[in-house]
Amino acid sequence: MGADEDKSAIKRSYGQYCGLARALDVVGNRWSLLIVRELLGGPARYGKLQAGLPGISTNLLAERLRELEQSGVVQRQLDTDSNAIAYTLTDWGRELRGAVTELVNWSTPLMISGPRDDNFQPRWLVVALESLMEGKRTEVPATIGFEVDGTLLTVRVDEMGTRVALEVDGQPETVLRAEPMVVLGLASGMLTTEQAIASGEFRGERLDLTAVFGP
């Protein structure tokens, strides 16, 4: 093994007795939090993780998974459907949801410009919508579908809070088909319901949208 390989094998640390520094020692490497994002939706096999992380090399994904596993953030389990290995967050790893939520909310001004040339996968909206709509509740349950790039996300809001699902059986009656930046703008409060409807294709009950997002 050469000198450069020796250096790359050494786990880097900020060397600071500070909670933020030590947290970044664990999840501050490039791709680490995006792996967490993928696993917040549930266990995933290696191929699914790689498909959800366009641009990451096979070797780097394996390295990041190994680091997160060694740190106690990720663990392996048997996928009973395929009898293959899947990766999942540990209980401690799932506690990163709060940090991911705060970062998604903080990122709102950065999303105004739209995707431009960036990769985009509709299922990334699951974590984004859960984060941006955290705390939203309605006395009367409302179910809304957001159709983005041919993928349907179903958002149900009631007195228990907000739940987002991907490609569930059956379509909700209220559906807004729109670009991702429109859906994010509505969820973040930067677009009104009327502006979002005007920017996409809408069918169903406007009352469902206004009950959740206002007029």
Side-chain angles (χ1 to χ4, degrees):
M1 182 180 288
D4 291 340
E5 290 174 321
D6 280 330
K7 290 177 182 177
S8 66
I10 299 174
K11 184 172 175 59
R12 295 180 178 178
S13 170
Y14 287 102
Q16 297 180 12
Y17 184 58
C18 160
L20 178 59
R22 289 198 171 178
L24 290 174
D25 283 346
V26 174
V27 295
N29 284 332
R30 192 163 184 249
W31 296 104
S32 293
L33 275 179
L34 294 184
I35 292 172
V36 171
R37 177 197 68 193
E38 293 299 299
L39 294 177
L40 282 172
R45 294 173 57 187
Y46 189 91
K48 183 179 179 181
L49 282 175
Q50 191 167 32
L53 297 165
I56 193 170
S57 68
T58 298
N59 290 343
L60 185 55
L61 176 57
E63 180 181 340
R64 290 292 179 264
L65 285 170
R66 183 169 58 251
E67 292 169 352
L68 291 170
E69 192 173 3
Q70 290 172 346
S71 298
V73 175
V74 167
Q75 63 186 9
R76 303 183 193 200
Q77 67 177 37
L78 186 65
D79 180 5
T80 53
D81 291 335
S82 62
N83 204 32
I85 294 297
Y87 294 88
T88 186
L89 294 172
T90 62
D91 290 341
W92 186 51
R94 280 189 286 273
E95 291 178 13
L96 283 165
R97 180 178 289 277
V100 170
T101 294
E102 291 299 325
L103 283 170
V104 169
N105 292 336
W106 180 79
S107 75
T108 298
L110 304 174
M111 303 298 285
I112 294 173
S113 61
R116 295 177 293 192
D117 295 328
D118 287 346
N119 288 301
F120 170 74
Q121 295 185 12
R123 63 196 188 89
W124 295 340
L125 287 173
V126 174
V127 170
L129 291 176
E130 288 175 343
S131 300
L132 292 169
M133 298 177 64
E134 186 177 43
K136 281 190 180 291
R137 288 175 170 77
T138 57
E139 293 183 5
V140 178
T143 301
I144 302 162
F146 291 109
E147 188 176 330
V148 181
D149 289 353
T151 297
L152 181 69
L153 296 97
T154 300
V155 178
R156 180 173 175 81
V157 187
D158 54 27
E159 71 279 1
M160 300 298 293
T162 300
R163 294 174 295 286
V164 185
L166 183 66
E167 296 285 9
V168 296
D169 293 334
Q171 285 205 1
E173 294 182 1
T174 300
V175 176
L176 175 65
R177 180 187 297 166
E179 296 295 318
M181 60 187 299
V182 174
V183 176
L184 292 171
L186 179 62
S188 65
M190 299 191 75
L191 291 180
T192 66
T193 297
E194 290 303 316
Q195 288 171 329
I197 290 175
S199 300
E201 298 177 24
F202 178 77
R203 68 176 185 271
E205 294 291 335
R206 291 187 181 223
L207 286 176
D208 287 340
L209 277 181
T210 56
V212 176
F213 300 106

